Amino acid sequence: MASLSVKPGQRFTMPDWQNNSLLISADAEQQRYNSHHIRQEGRALRNETGNQARWDEHNTRTCLNDRITSVDRWREALARCLTDTDLEIDALTKVKEAAENALQAKNLCLDVAIECLTFRESRRNIDVVRDPLEEELLREVKVIEKTKKELQQRVDEAFKQLCLLKEARQQLNCDHRHKVETLELDRQCMSFNVTSGNISFKVKPTRIPDGTTALREWELNSQCNKDRAEAEMRASVDLRGAITLSIAQTNNELDAQRIATEFALRKRIRDVEGALSELRWQEQNTLEEIAEMEEEIRQLEEDLRKRTLDLKVAHTRLETRTYRPHVELCRDQAQYGLTDEVQQLEGTIRALQRKRTESQDALDALYRQLHRIQTDIGYKTNSLQLDNKCMDTRRKLVIPVEKFEPEVDAVNRTRN
């Protein structure tokens, strides 16, 4: 009898073979299900993270742009304040030099009066008398000494005020320089994108650097610098007026009254110019707000149109589903969803309509306010022209008509 060359292996039954095939198929289906589920989750995660990343980048870019606008606005304000401070320093320096020249001119008058008194000391006997002439000479010496003392005090005040102005200017210049550097850095940040060649990972990028200040502190610092410079300029303007008045007080009462009147008139011109500048600033801001409000109304109307179209679609779907036959006309989840969508859209449309009405009312109010501002600008422009004519007319008191020419006022830096 023939025999097998090898030992026969284990034999399985048909149910085992069939169970093995079913098990493999079930495992394959389970693995495909798991893979499909993971792919769907991955796709959802990719969509979510991609949208979140794009939104975060857009939000960051918007914040950077707003910050650049804010810093640039402060830079312009500080630059204007720096220019005004430089002009005020030059004006106060000229007035200080005028006071020093006036003080130097008083020395000759004092020398003459003292010399006259010295000569009169040579009188003899009964002629050595306290007569009215000597009293006038002594009074003249006292008036000159008082005038010199007052002028010297004004010169000292002008020197101190110049130091304060230069100190305020130094702070303004430092703040302005820092803002220029900050603008350059922020604009460089705005230019970065995923294709930039100089981007890389950094060590602890979210750390808070030493010396970091709060936004409110930053605003207060710039505002304090600007307010201090403006306060010093106002003090300097007042001081220049006082110095000019002190120099004029060496003349007669009529000249003193004329100088006081012109000082008040110049101050009034400064006030009108300041109010006019403020109104023009308000006009510009109001025009910008009107443009933004009109754009907002346009966006509201566009959104209202879109939501109306969405509501039409939802209404059409609901109406179409009413024609389902027999038992198919059931309150399923789609029906509830469409009903909720219609209610939500109707509420949204009502809210958009209310907001559009409120925006239109606000726009009308802005137009009314703009009309008031422009009317007031016309009034103040006319007043300023009249005040400048008054300044030109008053110059005829000290300048002959045939030699009269409008010139720049060294005290107020305005053209008469």
Side-chain angles (χ1 to χ4, degrees):
M1 182 176 180
S3 62
L4 295 175
S5 60
V6 294
K7 185 177 180 179
Q10 181 182 1
R11 292 285 188 260
F12 296 94
T13 63
M14 284 301 296
D16 293 335
W17 178 82
Q18 292 174 350
N19 289 336
N20 181 68
S21 298
L22 292 175
L23 181 60
I24 291 174
S25 298
D27 290 341
E29 290 180 0
Q30 183 63 37
Q31 292 300 326
R32 288 196 302 272
Y33 173 79
N34 293 339
S35 176
H36 176 76
H37 183 68
I38 291 173
R39 283 192 298 106
Q40 294 301 320
E41 288 181 346
R43 182 177 300 174
L45 181 61
R46 285 189 294 106
N47 291 335
E48 181 181 356
T49 55
N51 291 335
Q52 185 65 39
R54 285 189 293 271
W55 172 251
D56 290 343
E57 198 278 337
H58 173 74
N59 188 40
T60 300
R61 185 173 293 274
T62 301
C63 292
L64 275 174
N65 188 58
D66 293 342
R67 181 60 177 168
I68 288 173
T69 302
S70 178
V71 175
D72 190 56
R73 187 182 301 113
W74 269 110
R75 180 194 61 78
E76 292 177 354
L78 293 177
R80 290 193 298 269
C81 196
L82 269 173
T83 302
D84 294 341
T85 303
D86 290 335
L87 292 175
E88 186 58 38
I89 288 175
D90 293 339
L92 184 58
T93 300
K94 292 179 181 179
V95 173
K96 175 176 172 291
E97 291 175 354
E100 291 173 344
N101 294 334
L103 180 61
Q104 184 67 28
K106 298 298 183 291
N107 290 331
L108 179 60
C109 300
L110 182 61
D111 291 341
V112 171
I114 292 178
E115 187 175 2
C116 291
L117 287 174
T118 302
F119 287 157
R120 290 177 63 81
E121 288 296 326
S122 300
R123 293 175 298 167
R124 298 179 182 176
N125 210 332
I126 194 62
D127 284 345
V128 184
V129 62
R130 183 66 64 87
D131 55 2
L133 178 57
E134 183 175 353
E135 292 179 356
E136 290 297 330
L137 287 173
L138 293 173
R139 187 179 298 111
E140 182 181 1
V141 170
K142 291 181 179 180
V143 169
I144 293 173
E145 289 178 345
K146 179 183 177 182
T147 302
K148 288 187 63 178
K149 182 178 179 180
E150 182 179 354
L151 287 175
Q152 184 62 51
Q153 181 180 357
R154 295 301 185 186
V155 170
D156 294 340
E157 291 176 357
F159 176 77
K160 294 178 181 178
Q161 189 61 40
L162 279 173
C163 293
L164 293 174
L165 279 172
K166 291 178 180 179
E167 182 180 355
R169 186 196 180 281
Q170 183 179 3
Q171 292 180 347
L172 279 175
N173 188 41
C174 182
D175 198 3
H176 179 267
R177 186 174 65 254
H178 291 167
K179 282 176 173 52
V180 171
E181 295 174 0
T182 300
L183 281 174
E184 182 179 355
L185 292 175
D186 283 346
R187 284 167 179 161
Q188 183 180 0
C189 291
M190 283 284 291
S191 66
F192 288 154
N193 54 53
V194 295
T195 61
S196 299
N198 53 347
I199 60 174
S200 63
F201 288 108
K202 308 299 180 183
V203 179
K204 294 183 179 180
T206 58
R207 70 186 184 279
I208 299 177
D210 295 337
T212 300
T213 58
L215 179 60
R216 180 60 178 168
E217 183 179 353
W218 173 82
E219 291 178 350
L220 286 177
N221 179 69
S222 298
Q223 188 66 46
C224 287
N225 290 335
K226 184 174 178 292
D227 291 344
R228 181 187 178 187
E230 291 176 347
E232 297 299 342
M233 283 190 288
R234 288 193 296 269
S236 177
V237 170
D238 295 339
L239 180 59
R240 286 191 289 111
I243 292 175
T244 304
L245 187 59
S246 297
I247 295 174
Q249 282 177 348
T250 58
N251 300 323
N252 54 35
E253 293 295 330
L254 181 60
D255 289 336
Q257 184 61 42
R258 179 179 58 83
I259 293 297
T261 302
E262 290 181 357
F263 180 80
L265 184 56
R266 289 165 182 166
K267 187 176 184 300
R268 178 58 181 171
I269 290 176
R270 288 196 302 272
D271 293 339
V272 174
E273 287 176 340
L276 193 57
S277 176
E278 174 67 19
L279 283 174
R280 285 170 177 165
W281 183 80
Q282 293 291 348
E283 180 188 27
Q284 180 64 29
N285 286 349
T286 304
L287 287 172
E288 292 176 357
E289 183 62 28
I290 286 174
E292 293 178 359
M293 181 58 72
E294 289 175 344
E295 177 63 20
E296 179 64 21
I297 291 175
R298 189 188 68 79
Q299 293 292 340
L300 286 172
E301 290 175 349
E302 179 65 20
D303 285 352
L304 189 59
R305 185 186 67 83
K306 291 179 180 179
R307 299 296 80 79
T308 302
L309 292 176
D310 293 340
L311 184 60
K312 289 181 180 179
V313 171
H315 279 190
T316 304
R317 287 172 176 172
L318 280 173
E319 181 63 24
T320 302
R321 297 188 92 242
T322 60
Y323 295 101
R324 290 175 294 169
H326 299 290
V327 73
E328 295 299 326
L329 188 63
C330 65
R331 300 284 291 180
D332 53 6
Q333 292 298 323
Q335 190 76 10
Y336 288 117
L338 285 171
T339 302
D340 293 339
E341 182 183 3
V342 167
Q343 294 175 352
Q344 183 67 32
L345 286 173
E346 289 175 348
T348 300
I349 290 174
R350 288 193 298 271
L352 288 174
Q353 290 173 343
R354 287 195 300 268
K355 184 55 66 177
R356 182 183 61 182
T357 302
E358 293 175 3
S359 300
Q360 187 63 47
D361 293 340
L363 181 62
D364 295 340
L366 284 173
Y367 273 115
R368 290 193 296 270
Q369 185 63 29
L370 179 63
H371 180 265
R372 290 182 58 191
I373 292 174
Q374 291 174 342
T375 302
D376 202 18
I377 287 176
Y379 294 158
K380 286 180 172 52
T381 302
N382 182 63
S383 298
L384 186 61
Q385 292 174 351
L386 293 176
D387 288 342
N388 284 325
K389 287 182 180 179
C390 291
M391 290 292 295
D392 288 338
T393 302
R394 290 189 62 80
R395 293 188 62 229
K396 297 178 182 179
L397 297 175
V398 293
I399 300 178
V401 177
E402 60 272 16
K403 296 181 179 180
F404 176 77
E405 290 182 0
E407 62 182 13
V408 176
D409 184 2
V411 175
N412 295 288
R413 306 194 310 273
T414 58
R415 186 172 182 83
N416 290 328

